[in-house]
Amino acid sequence: MQRKIPSSLWETHYLGKTPLPLIAIGVLATLFYVFSKPHFGDFSDFNKLLLSLSGLISIKIYATPIWKHPVFHMLWWALLLAVCHWFYLTLTLSHLAGDYPKLDHIARLFVFIIFAWWLAGSTRNTLIFWSIASAAVILAPWIAGDGLADFQRGFHGERIGFGIRNVQHSAMFFGTVLLGLLIFIPRLLRAPLQHYGKLILWVVAFLIILAGVIISQTRATWLGVAAAMLTVFLLLFIEHRKRFSNKQLLLIFFLSTCLAILIISNSSLVIERATAELDTIQALLRGDWSSVPLSTSEVRSSVGERLYSWRAAIDMIAQRPLLGWGDQGVDYLFNNIQYNHAHYQALNFGHLHNLYLEITLQYGLLGLVAYFYLLIWFTKSAWLAWKRGDMPGDVLLFFYAFLCFWSVINLFESYLIFWTGVFLFNVVMAGCLTHIWKPELRANRSKAITHIEKDLP
């Protein structure tokens, strides 16, 4: 029997008969990729090709139950729909169809399949994988930013992005890591005394991440984190409600409210940013578009700019609601926008700052349904994996919290059309999928053991 990587380093028993060299290549490529991608994107592209090829070859040859899993069916259907959509556009909107179907835009959303395979159904592997990805975010101020100087400028009112594309995208990363640190802290608190060094690292990481979320001044991230934590508390309450008396629940609610008031009342930065465009929102609620402003040299109104672009997008979607306008539909919109055309041309607006409108404009309601089908499938499958004992409760909580956070922030930015959103989406989904795969992985392992026993003299 061939030797495997020691389980103290990486658990591999669910990888079947996959040869050790192939496992080593796939695992190392995966871990290197999730750390290097946020800061060394060009260098990590070859690494992504290596891990994708090694993963597909390994699954196809050594894991037939996985290759036949419904998630692969979704990938094939998504690629087929993309091809059919392109052919349709060449017949109806040839000037927007492009020279060929951009299948890479679809395929890159399913890289989580490769990650999930090399995670081998292991919670320990998953936590290592997520920790390495989180380390790339926590160290961002020192890898791509100006270190402590960034924090000093941030707490003096400057929006800080730490060199990760722009402020909104760094806030997305920092917000996700913040959720993970909060949800997985009970694991550290249950650790033996000799592991308290990890708790110290957690405190340092938490302070860095919390500061990063605040000084990003990204209202969508603040809202997403709040919604995600409310989701976590609601799920915990539903699961453990019988363990709490009414007095205990009232005390928890009172203390939580006091803590929230204390944090908000002592953070002028948060209050100032959160209330900056209340007049714009009130004008929208009144239906008074004449009072919805755009940015000027004196005043910045990102809310106003988004609202006018969303209004234009909805008008355009209404013309082709089912199949949309194709990959170049957004460019076409801003080249022909009826509302403040010169302003958007000067700003060089390139996307809608709303993922749902972006998908619908490009791929129609059919594309939006496909996207939500994937999320709903994950939501249901993760719940079933937890019910049968294949997914720990805190992993499920983190996944649901992330879905809530992700859904909220994508109301105000089209993260999934950028490498940042694609990267984060794949990293989180992979940790969920590898637990969903547990029954297939067990079947694959049993099959491998049977073949090995037959080969023994």
Side-chain angles (χ1 to χ4, degrees):
M1 183 184 300
Q2 65 176 13
R3 296 182 62 185
K4 291 289 184 181
I5 297 174
S7 60
S8 58
L9 297 175
W10 195 261
E11 296 180 354
T12 61
H13 53 277
Y14 281 139
L15 294 179
K17 297 177 66 178
T18 306
L20 179 58
L22 191 56
I23 293 176
I25 291 172
V27 171
L28 292 175
T30 295
L31 299 182
F32 183 78
Y33 179 79
V34 295
F35 183 81
S36 64
K37 179 60 178 179
H39 308 297
F40 313 104
D42 295 337
F43 184 66
S44 66
D45 286 342
F46 171 76
N47 191 61
K48 182 172 71 172
L49 177 63
L50 182 64
L51 73 90
S52 297
L53 289 176
S54 62
L56 288 174
I57 291 171
S58 179
I59 295 172
K60 177 62 177 174
I61 298 176
Y62 303 106
T64 303
I66 297 298
W67 187 262
K68 296 179 180 179
H69 192 268
V71 74
F72 270 101
H73 299 163
M74 284 187 275
L75 170 59
W76 309 140
W77 275 111
L79 294 174
L80 179 60
L81 286 174
V83 172
C84 293
H85 185 254
W86 177 79
F87 274 116
Y88 172 76
L89 286 175
T90 58
L91 297 175
T92 59
L93 291 171
S94 57
H95 61 293
L96 295 180
D99 297 330
Y100 54 88
K102 296 180 180 178
L103 299 182
D104 58 313
H105 289 186
I106 302 298
R108 68 179 185 170
L109 302 181
F110 287 84
V111 174
F112 60 78
I113 292 175
I114 308 301
F115 290 154
W117 167 247
W118 293 125
L119 293 178
S122 166
T123 300
R124 183 175 179 276
N125 292 352
T126 299
L127 293 177
I128 293 173
F129 174 73
W130 282 344
S131 296
I132 292 174
S134 299
V137 176
I138 295 167
L139 296 174
W142 292 272
I143 296 177
D146 294 325
L148 293 178
D150 278 341
F151 293 99
Q152 292 172 347
R153 294 199 308 273
F155 283 107
H156 280 90
E158 183 178 340
R159 295 188 72 186
I160 302 297
F162 303 112
I164 302 177
R165 185 171 177 83
N166 64 35
V167 174
Q168 294 181 65
H169 293 255
S170 66
M172 172 190 68
F173 283 134
F174 275 69
T176 304
V177 175
L178 178 62
L179 293 175
L181 289 172
L182 291 172
I183 291 171
F184 290 114
I185 182 59
R187 284 183 177 262
L188 291 181
L189 296 178
R190 292 194 300 265
L193 289 176
Q194 62 266 31
H195 292 163
Y196 274 13
K198 296 179 181 179
L199 187 58
I200 296 173
L201 290 177
W202 181 93
V203 172
V204 173
F206 178 77
L207 293 175
I208 293 172
I209 290 296
L210 181 61
V213 169
I214 292 173
I215 65 178
S216 74
Q217 297 188 44
T218 304
R219 290 165 294 200
T221 294
W222 296 345
L223 180 62
V225 169
M229 291 311 299
L230 285 175
T231 300
V232 169
F233 290 142
L234 178 62
L235 291 174
L236 288 175
F237 170 72
I238 292 173
E239 179 65 19
H240 302 291
R241 61 188 181 278
K242 295 181 180 179
R243 301 182 184 180
F244 297 102
S245 65
N246 291 334
K247 290 182 178 180
Q248 288 174 321
L249 291 174
L250 184 62
L251 179 62
I252 292 172
F253 175 77
F254 176 75
L255 292 175
S256 300
T257 303
C258 290
L259 180 61
I261 293 173
L262 180 65
I263 292 174
I264 294 174
S265 63
N266 285 275
S267 179
S268 58
L269 181 66
V270 173
I271 295 174
E272 181 180 351
R273 180 65 177 163
T275 59
E277 297 199 55
L278 283 179
D279 292 342
T280 303
I281 296 173
Q282 290 171 354
L284 174 68
L285 294 176
R286 294 194 306 269
D288 182 11
W289 279 94
S290 62
S291 298
V292 175
L294 290 169
S295 295
T296 65
S297 57
E298 294 82 19
V299 180
R300 171 72 175 169
S301 179
S302 60
V303 173
E305 287 165 354
R306 281 171 166 80
L307 290 175
Y308 280 112
S309 67
W310 295 350
R311 186 181 181 185
I314 291 171
D315 291 344
M316 194 166 161
I317 288 170
Q319 299 175 41
R320 300 175 62 86
L322 186 59
L323 295 172
W325 294 78
D327 292 331
Q328 300 181 47
V330 176
D331 292 335
Y332 180 79
L333 181 148
F334 287 113
N335 287 332
N336 299 275
I337 189 169
Q338 298 178 4
Y339 310 105
N340 307 286
H341 180 270
H343 182 83
Y344 285 104
Q345 290 296 300
L347 286 176
N348 194 28
F349 244 52
H351 60 284
L352 291 171
H353 297 83
N354 182 298
L355 178 63
Y356 312 107
L357 289 177
E358 194 98 27
I359 292 174
T360 310
L361 182 67
Q362 293 187 29
Y363 302 104
L365 292 174
L366 182 63
L368 189 64
V369 167
Y371 171 74
F372 278 119
Y373 177 83
L374 178 65
L375 295 190
I376 292 171
W377 180 88
F378 262 101
T379 302
K380 178 183 177 181
S381 298
W383 178 265
L384 294 176
W386 173 71
K387 292 291 287 185
R388 65 175 181 260
D390 289 333
M391 180 181 291
D394 54 359
V395 174
L396 180 73
L397 270 182
F398 173 68
F399 177 65
Y400 282 172
F402 170 77
L403 279 186
C404 180
F405 172 76
W406 175 259
S407 298
V408 169
I409 64 174
N410 273 290
L411 288 168
F412 309 100
E413 180 58 282
S414 311
Y415 286 107
L416 207 55
I417 70 172
F418 298 99
W419 73 261
T420 49
V422 172
F423 172 77
L424 180 63
F425 182 82
N426 280 305
V427 167
V428 176
M429 292 296 180
C432 178
L433 180 61
T434 198
H435 291 87
I436 292 172
W437 273 350
K438 277 290 189 69
E440 287 78 14
L441 291 170
R442 280 192 287 265
N444 189 57
R445 185 189 183 201
S446 299
K447 182 179 178 181
I449 292 174
T450 301
H451 280 297
I452 292 172
E453 290 176 346
K454 288 181 179 180
D455 292 338
L456 292 176

